[in-house]
């Protein structure tokens, strides 16, 4: 997956893993965490340990780490995402001489601190990072945004008749551009899907309703609205409903949280993007295991582990949720 931060206009949502507020205590700091020095020590700096999607990732990561025989510890900020606190906890992991550190790079400052970890001989794995050579990551676990666009279009193309699609992206740069480009390239290969317009919200939930309304006003022929951000769900549903087009516009939303599951049940959502969260947690541990014995050179590319994704319907959503997708 390409660069994923959730701060400012360059932010992107991690597919249904919108990092919204969640108040309760997070796991303790890495510096205070003990462990078995004879085992491979691994720290996961979780951006939101108590947010449902990230909680699933953390739990499945722990389970896989135990299977591998790793000494696993999870840390994370209390309440809302706090990139400064996360960086501090990565630094604590470096000071504690962890063998591996896994985290979500929530700001530009993560590259330098992860590079510090690498210089200390620590294996680093990012989740939804850039995967760039200078990212400080030895491996990156995430979503292929361009391929995701193709997945959306494939489902939309199966609908009968012409499909006039309006897109809601974080921006026309970075991950937003990757998704938009994937959608447009895939649509060009079909005979019935046309991208007619796009708007941007900067991953700001407050902009979802007015931007969706503007999109529908500018393009009254739209019969499909799609987004790659979980923050869009409530606003888009409200905008479509306010125009009396719930039955005529198919909305492709993002993740079961933030009203996605309810929207699918009520008909406000046509398809819901879900991803293999539990498998993602396990994949991060496997990436650590692979990198522990890997020989690295300055020219080495950062291995990318693709997270499984699917577009769930009202009929099959529960089957995905039951196996740890979300």
């Amino acid at each position: 997956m390409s660069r994923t931060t959730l701060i400012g206009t360059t932010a992107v949502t991690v597919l249904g893993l919108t990092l919204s507020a969640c108040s309760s205590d997070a796991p303790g700091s890495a510096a205070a965490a003990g462990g078995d020095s004879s085992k491979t020590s691994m720290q996961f700096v979780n951006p939101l340990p108590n947010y449902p999607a990230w909680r699933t990732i953390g739990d499945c990561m722990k389970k896989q780490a135990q299977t591998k025989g790793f000494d696993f510890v999870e840390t994370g900020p209390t309440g809302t995402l706090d990139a400064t606190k996360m960086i501090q906890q990565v630094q604590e992991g470096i000071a504690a001489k962890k063998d591996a550190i896994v985290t979500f790079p929530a700001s530009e400052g993560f590259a330098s601190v992860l590079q510090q970890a690498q210089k200390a001989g620590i294996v680093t794995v990012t989740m939804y990072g850039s995967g760039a050579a200078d990212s400080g990551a030895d491996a990156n676990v995430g979503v292929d945004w361009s391929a995701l666009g193709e997945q959306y279009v494939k489902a939309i193309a199966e609908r009968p008749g012409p499909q006039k699609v309006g897109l809601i992206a974080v921006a026309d740069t970075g991950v937003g551009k990757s998704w938009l480009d994937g959608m447009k390239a895939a649509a060009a290969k079909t005979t019935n899907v046309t991208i007619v317009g796009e708007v941007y919200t900067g991953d700001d939930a407050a902009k979802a309703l007015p931007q969706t309304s503007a999109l529908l006003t500018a393009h009254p022929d739209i019969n499909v609205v799609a987004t790659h951000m979980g923050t869009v769900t409530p606003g888009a549903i409200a905008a479509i409903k306010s125009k009396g087009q719930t039955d005529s516009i198919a909305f492709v939303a993002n993740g079961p949280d933030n009203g996605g599951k309810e929207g699918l049940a009520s008909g406000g959502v046509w398809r819901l993007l879900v991803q293999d969260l539990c498998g993602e947690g396990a994949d991060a541990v496997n990436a650590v295991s692979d990198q522990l014995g890997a020989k690295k050179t300055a020219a080495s590319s950062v291995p990318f582990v693709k997270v499984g994704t699917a577009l769930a319907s009202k009929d099959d959503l529960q089957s995905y949720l039951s196996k740890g997708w979300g």
Side-chain angles (χ1 to χ4, degrees), residues 208 227 229-238 251 253-255 257-260 263 269 272:
T227 184
M229 297 174 290
T231 47
V232 169
T233 305
I237 290 176
F251 176 39
N254 221 325
D257 299 320
N258 200 33
V269 173
L272 193 64

Side-chain angles (χ1 to χ4, degrees), residues 231-254:
T231 47
V232 169
T233 305
I237 290 176
I240 293 169
K241 183 177 181 180
S242 70
K243 290 185 175 294
Q245 293 179 288
T246 299
D247 293 334
S248 59
I249 292 179
F251 176 39
V252 185
N254 221 325

Side-chain angles (χ1 to χ4, degrees), residues 28 87 115 148 166 179 191 222 249 256 280 286:
I87 288 175
Q115 288 168 6
L148 186 63
W179 179 71
T191 58
I222 284 176
I249 292 179
E280 182 179 5
N286 294 335

Side-chain angles (χ1 to χ4, degrees), residues 7 77 81-91 106-107 110:
I7 301 170
L81 184 146
D82 184 340
T84 300
K85 181 65 174 178
M86 291 174 67
I87 288 175
Q88 176 187 331
Q89 292 181 343
V90 172
Q91 291 171 330
S107 72
F110 276 78

Side-chain angles (χ1 to χ4, degrees), residues 60-323:
C60 291
M61 192 180 296
K62 179 179 180 180
K63 183 178 179 180
Q64 183 68 2
Q66 292 173 334
T67 299
K68 292 282 188 181
F70 292 174
D71 180 22
F72 177 85
V73 62
E74 178 183 320
T75 66
T78 301
T80 57
L81 184 146
D82 184 340
T84 300
K85 181 65 174 178
M86 291 174 67
I87 288 175
Q88 176 187 331
Q89 292 181 343
V90 172
Q91 291 171 330
E92 290 174 351
I94 295 171
K97 299 181 179 180
K98 296 294 182 182
D99 294 310
I101 295 175
V102 178
T103 194
F104 167 76
S107 72
E108 299 294 340
F110 276 78
S112 60
V113 73
L114 290 174
Q115 288 168 6
Q116 292 173 26
Q118 288 179 317
K119 290 177 181 178
I122 297 171
V123 168
T124 58
V125 174
T126 52
M127 307 189 77
Y128 305 105
S130 69
D134 61 354
S135 65
D138 291 319
N140 181 48
V141 182
V143 172
D144 183 331
W145 289 91
S146 294
L148 186 63
E150 296 175 5
Q151 189 172 24
Y152 274 51
V153 170
K154 181 179 179 180
I156 294 169
E158 293 175 354
R159 290 166 49 85
Q163 303 300 305
K164 306 295 184 179
V165 184
L167 305 178
I168 306 173
V170 60
D172 60 352
T173 59
V175 169
K177 185 177 187 301
S178 294
W179 179 71
L180 290 168
D181 288 349
M183 291 287 295
K184 293 172 184 177
K189 297 176 183 178
T190 72
T191 58
N192 67 327
V193 179
T194 305
I195 307 300
V196 299
E198 61 192 68
V199 292
Y200 320 110
T201 67
D203 205 23
D204 183 347
K207 294 180 180 179
L209 193 157
Q211 286 295 83
T212 305
S213 294
L215 179 67
L216 298 178
T217 298
H219 303 280
D221 57 338
I222 284 176
N223 57 1
V224 178
V225 171
T227 184
H228 66 91
M229 297 174 290
T231 47
V232 169
T233 305
I237 290 176
I240 293 169
K241 183 177 181 180
S242 70
K243 290 185 175 294
Q245 293 179 288
T246 299
D247 293 334
S248 59
I249 292 179
F251 176 39
V252 185
N254 221 325
D257 299 320
N258 200 33
K261 182 178 180 180
E262 292 77 12
L264 195 62
S266 67
V269 173
W270 173 64
R271 290 289 185 273
L272 193 64
L273 182 67
V274 292
Q275 58 184 315
D276 184 5
L277 302 179
C278 195
E280 182 179 5
D283 284 343
V285 176
N286 294 335
V288 165
S289 183
D290 291 342
Q291 291 301 308
L292 284 170
K295 292 183 179 180
K296 303 178 183 64
T297 66
S300 296
S301 60
V302 177
F304 173 66
V305 182
K306 182 180 176 181
V307 176
T309 58
L311 291 175
S313 68
K314 180 178 180 180
D315 295 331
D316 61 12
L317 175 62
Q318 189 55 51
S319 67
Y320 284 108
L321 299 181
S322 297
K323 58 183 182 180

